Amino acid sequence: MTDTPAPEDPISHVPPGFFEPQDGRKWAEKHWLNVPGPFYTGQTDNCWTGRLSAPRHVLYGGEYYNEFVYRQPRTRAEVECLLSAAGDDPFDGYDCDGDSRWTPDAVRAWWAERGQVEKHVAALVVEWTAEAGPQESEAAEGARDFLLYLAGDLRTDLQAYLFRLEHGRYPDAGDRLPDL
């Protein structure tokens, strides 16, 4: 037993009814760059509005530069930022039912393919740095943040998420994290 409280459940900060029940369409359209976790995007707009509300959680990429979640929110304030980004998306492409959709094997497969994610995001940094407009500069900053996260804390965060999927809760300080 430890005195360290378990991390907050980010889903508990989503108001009831915020996300409309749907038939799995968003998951079927899930952006390949989404980091595994409860929050993700399917098809979103490409107007670059998500980072205005959630700059530490949303980035743009893929073929059409759609929004995706690159860092899962942990606190009420972070969830509120992500919900604001979701509310601004005219395609209603955000959702938070990832816990019922990601499997441990799928999380491990995403991690195993992270080199493709890294390659894509590194190319975005080069592209956006060369364009040097204010939006591109800000997006490049987010892409650099994602690359640092991918090379650092994301591994532990995904291990904690695997623990959640396997045990129904986030790990306490003394819990052994599963392998990726």
Side-chain angles (χ1 to χ4, degrees), residues 3-175:
D3 293 333
T4 305
E8 292 182 78
D9 179 356
I11 300 301
S12 69
H13 302 304
V14 177
F18 185 88
F19 291 104
E20 298 278 331
Q22 41 89 29
D23 59 2
R25 172 187 55 84
K26 293 177 192 176
W27 183 258
E29 300 172 344
K30 180 175 55 68
H31 197 298
W32 67 278
L33 291 166
N34 280 293
V35 166
F39 295 90
Y40 65 94
T41 62
Q43 183 179 350
T44 67
D45 70 357
N46 57 3
C47 298
W48 289 29
T49 59
R51 289 186 55 75
L52 298 174
S53 298
R56 295 274 297 157
H57 303 281
V58 174
L59 194 55
Y60 321 113
E63 184 178 0
Y64 302 109
Y65 300 94
N66 301 90
E67 298 176 8
F68 66 92
V69 177
Y70 80 91
R71 184 189 317 267
Q72 294 291 322
R74 293 182 182 184
T75 67
R76 176 183 298 276
E78 290 175 349
V79 169
E80 288 171 357
C81 289
L82 195 63
L83 295 180
S84 180
D88 289 340
D89 178 40
F91 290 3
D92 189 33
Y94 284 72
D95 213 332
C96 72
D97 64 351
D99 289 356
S100 65
R101 306 226 179 242
W102 283 105
T103 64
D105 286 344
V107 172
R108 287 181 175 101
W110 188 96
W111 180 252
E113 295 296 321
R114 70 190 177 281
Q116 293 300 321
V117 174
E118 181 179 20
K119 180 179 175 183
H120 182 78
V121 175
L124 292 174
V125 170
V126 171
E127 176 185 341
W128 293 335
T129 302
E131 293 184 24
Q135 274 192 308
E136 291 83 6
S137 293
E138 196 284 326
E141 180 181 325
R144 284 189 290 274
D145 182 50
F146 186 19
L147 290 173
L148 289 171
Y149 182 50
L150 192 58
D153 292 339
L154 179 55
R155 177 184 196 88
T156 303
D157 287 354
L158 286 180
Q159 288 175 296
Y161 187 60
L162 278 173
F163 187 95
R164 175 187 170 92
L165 292 176
E166 293 171 348
H167 299 281
R169 65 177 175 83
Y170 282 105
D172 290 321
D175 289 327

